[in-house]
Amino acid sequence: YTIIGDHVNATSRLESINKVYGTSIIISRPIWEKVHEVMFTRRLDLVAVKGKSRPIEIYELLGHREEISDETLLASVSLHEKALDLYLEKNFQEALFHFRKGAADYPTMATFALFVERCESFLKAPPPPDWKGEWIMKSK
């Protein structure tokens, strides 16, 4: 037996981009909507996966809400989401400050360094005026 279809393809793409973000489990917005009250997540990005032009909001699945008590994890997620909001608002200078802080304070969270690079790049060459925050994945 095999499964095919757009959802299977998108799921496969999300699984493969874990290596880009240094994560273990990435979920899309529709899945997040079904689990966010029970599961603790971190909003990661807005991406257009390889082969798709329409971006999807992605989240890292971190565990059951009732089991998450690590203050370091909670602080890192809060900082990342604050910086991500600034990034999506095209406030790259302020976002860069927060992503750099995250990279220094939480060196094992690869997303901070990833967004430092993006912010630095966008400060040198801003995205087009119609940019909505999406990142185009070039690999599978």
Side-chain angles (χ1 to χ4, degrees), residues 21-138:
Y21 293 93
T23 56
S24 296
I25 302 173
I26 292 177
I27 61 174
S28 63
R29 175 81 186 197
I31 300 301
W32 177 86
E33 289 172 355
K34 293 176 189 274
V35 303
H36 77 277
E37 291 178 7
V38 176
M39 304 300 287
F40 186 67
T41 61
R42 175 171 63 127
R43 187 169 47 122
L44 280 178
D45 206 354
L46 184 63
V47 299
V49 294
K50 180 133 174 103
K52 298 291 177 188
S53 59
R54 189 170 178 207
I56 57 174
E57 194 169 18
I58 60 171
Y59 299 79
E60 179 182 17
L61 186 61
L62 296 167
H64 286 276
R65 281 195 176 277
E66 61 192 37
E67 296 173 1
I68 302 293
S69 61
D70 181 340
E71 292 299 322
T72 301
L73 176 62
L74 295 170
S76 68
V77 168
S78 178
L79 179 60
H80 180 271
E81 291 190 352
K82 177 180 182 176
L84 185 60
D85 285 340
L86 292 163
Y87 169 86
L88 294 172
E89 293 166 3
K90 300 182 192 177
N91 187 345
F92 301 118
Q93 192 65 51
E94 188 74 16
L96 178 59
F97 172 81
H98 293 290
F99 283 128
R100 281 184 176 155
K101 179 173 177 20
D105 292 351
Y106 312 104
T108 60
M109 294 186 79
T111 52
F112 286 113
L114 174 71
F115 279 95
V116 164
E117 289 179 21
R118 288 189 194 175
C119 287
E120 289 173 342
S121 175
F122 283 143
L123 285 168
K124 291 176 187 169
D130 63 343
W131 183 76
K132 302 280 189 270
E134 67 278 2
W135 187 258
I136 310 298
M137 287 291 165
K138 307 240 190 297

